């Protein structure tokens, strides 16, 4: 059989300050740039990505993969109308030219909002459906942060989602999606579907599958239900709360041989999620208090204390240059601590111009979020590099990371270290710190611009992990966001929050 494979991913924080234009999809950062055709297969081969896992699975089963295009931009505010239209036009154009196609496998995020389209994936699926018609099955792999809409469920014949946050199982999710598609192609039978939306938003920190209710739901309850209810598939999306759209929030989707079985499984999983509502509230501290706590712990710890600067997570739409936690480190005299990566191409360029060893005045971060201001501070340039490096940990291993000019600065006096980079990317592993010559295992405090993904690499090397809040768009307390479009009856935080 001939299976068309494509990827178009964006997680849209409608409250974030910077939009995703075409260039944001075209450039390579921690993931490959926009790639087409055979280049796509080469660029994503062996990577922890759903299209990669799907292609390997389809080819191993003897199917012909027809690669269309693949692209992903760092999470941010809306995808521009120009970028959305250009990429979806190109994708559907390639599909039209591909000749007879037996099935379609898509790597999507599920929380894409364009300037002119609230349901980015639903609209894309409708356009793809218009090309291939009703008889060609479409299977979709989604991030578990998907805000699934009724249109997405209607237009797809099969859906799978990650079951881990940190997303260590992206390639495996692609494999499961391809297997679902192949079942449909082999039997000629589409599974029945049931979709249930959950009526409260889950803070992203509360959805981590290392512990708590998400671990129980994803790793115990969901796999057991697939067996007990004899399902083709079962998905739980924790949703992405920072998208102000009607269908924001968690949901479940079940696929089964009968409508009754699908309905029963979706209801049972939705009930299991609802029963754990209050447990989804995460623990966190305001930046100054968080750094004081981190220092107290670090004073006697043999391993680093890792602090998540969660509200500026570039993986959730943060600009990556907010200054709240950096100021807290400087105010607390946190000598030896490091924060990174501040996404600040101006400071990176200034550090490179000054050169390694130089002492100069810098204006660090605070340039992209309204109300924030740069930290004006004298620093020594410890390292300045322009080359790429390789990701670490169970999520990012093997990925080539290219964030343009990078530098390691140290406040003078003060000894607080600041990692700066030039392209937006979440600090989801320790690789940038190693790249800049830091002895990561022996640092007292490491602050990362990440919410949860960093745990995949940092948990084994951390003595403790704390979550800090400073002004930024990836807010934990959704009550502080000005939602306008959320459907009626949805609680902005779990009960008790
Ligand atoms: Zn995600």
């Amino acid at each position: 059989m001939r299976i068309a494979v494509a990827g178009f991913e964006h997680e849209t924080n409608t409250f974030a300050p910077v939009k995703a234009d075409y260039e944001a999809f075209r450039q390579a950062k921690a993931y490959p740039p926009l790639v087409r055709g055979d280049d796509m297969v080469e660029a994503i081969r062996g990577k922890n990505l759903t299209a990669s896992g799907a292609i390997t699975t389809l080819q191993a089963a003897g199917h012909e993969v027809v690669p269309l295009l693949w692209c992903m931009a760092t999470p941010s505010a809306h995808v521009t109308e120009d970028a959305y239209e250009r990429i979806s036009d190109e994708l559907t154009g390639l599909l039209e030219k591909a000749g007879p196609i037996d099935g379609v496998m898509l790597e999507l995020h599920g929380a894409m909002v364009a300037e002119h389209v609230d349901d980015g994936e639903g609209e894309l699926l409708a356009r793809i459906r218009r090309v291939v018609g009703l008889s060609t099955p479409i299977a979709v792999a989604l991030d578990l942060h998907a805000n699934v809409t009724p249109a997405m469920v209607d237009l797809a014949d099969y859906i799978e989602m990650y079951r881990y946050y940190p997303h260590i199982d992206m390639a495996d999710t692609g494999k499961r999606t391809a297997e679902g598609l192949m079942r449909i192609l082999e039997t000629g039978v589409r599974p029945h579907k049931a979709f249930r939306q959950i009526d409260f938003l889950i803070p992203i920190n509360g959805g981590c599958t290392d512990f708590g209710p998400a671990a129980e739901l994803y790793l115990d309850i969901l796999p057991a239900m697939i067996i007990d209810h004899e399902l083709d598939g079962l998905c739980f999306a924790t949703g992405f709360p920072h998208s102000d759209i009607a269908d924001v929030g968690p949901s479940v989707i079940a696929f089964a041989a009968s409508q009754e079985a699908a309905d029963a499984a979706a209801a049972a999983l939705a009930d299991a999620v609802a029963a754990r509502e209050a447990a989804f509230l995460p623990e966190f501290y305001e930046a100054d208090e968080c750094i004081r706590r981190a220092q107290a712990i670090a004073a006697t710890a043999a391993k680093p204390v890792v602090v998540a600067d969660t509200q500026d997570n570039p993986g959730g739409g943060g600009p990556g240059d907010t200054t709240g936690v950096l100021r807290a480190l400087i105010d607390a005299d946190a000598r030896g601590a490091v924060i990174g990566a501040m996404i600040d191409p101006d400071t990176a360029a200034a550090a490179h111009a000054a050169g390694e060893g130089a002492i100069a005045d810098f204006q660090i971060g605070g340039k992209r979020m309204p109300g924030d201001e740069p930290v004006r501070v004298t620093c020594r340039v410890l390292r300045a590099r322009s080359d790429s490096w390789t990701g670490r940990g169970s999520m990012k291993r093997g990925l080539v990371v290219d964030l343009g000019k990078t530098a390691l600065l140290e406040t003078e006096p003060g000894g607080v270290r600041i990692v700066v980079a030039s392209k937006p990317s979440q600090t989801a592993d320790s690789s940038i710190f190693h790249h800049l010559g830091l002895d990561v295992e022996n640092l007292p405090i490491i602050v990362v611009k990440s919410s949860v993904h960093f745990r995949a690499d940092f948990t084994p090397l951390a003595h403790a992990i704390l979550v800090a809040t400073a002004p930024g768009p990836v807010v934990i307390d959704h009550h502080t966001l000005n939602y306008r479009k959320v459907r009626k009856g949805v609680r902005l935080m779990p009960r008790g929050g």
Side-chain angles (χ1 to χ4, degrees), residues 11 109 143-145 162 165 167 453:
E11 181 183 73
H109 182 285
D143 193 297
L144 61 73
H145 293 113
Y162 311 156
Y165 182 31
H167 304 328
H453 282 328

Side-chain angles (χ1 to χ4, degrees), residues 6 16 114 200 236:
F200 62 92
F236 167 38

Side-chain angles (χ1 to χ4, degrees), residues 53 83 150 174 225 231 250 309 425 473 476:
M225 276 189 186
L231 302 175
D309 185 359
S425 181
I476 289 186

Side-chain angles (χ1 to χ4, degrees), residues 401-418:
V401 186
D402 175 6
L403 301 187
K405 286 190 172 81
T406 58
L408 174 63
L409 309 178
E410 184 174 69
T411 60
E412 178 77 32
V416 172
R417 295 159 186 187
I418 304 151

Side-chain angles (χ1 to χ4, degrees), residues 322-334:
T322 71
T323 58
V325 183
L326 172 57
R327 285 178 209 279
L329 288 171
I330 293 171
D331 291 349
D333 279 327

Side-chain angles (χ1 to χ4, degrees), residues 98-155:
I101 290 291
D102 299 296
V104 178
M105 150 71 211
L106 298 171
E107 170 179 330
L108 305 175
H109 182 285
M112 175 157 56
V113 185
E115 285 175 321
H116 60 313
V117 178
D118 274 1
D119 182 4
E121 284 84 1
E123 174 61 25
L124 182 70
L125 280 163
R127 295 181 189 190
I128 289 169
R129 190 52 92 188
R130 281 201 283 278
V131 175
V132 299
L134 286 173
S135 59
T136 305
I138 300 175
V140 182
L142 295 174
D143 193 297
L144 61 73
H145 293 113
N147 291 320
V148 183
T149 66
M152 288 161 67
V153 180
D154 283 348
L155 290 158

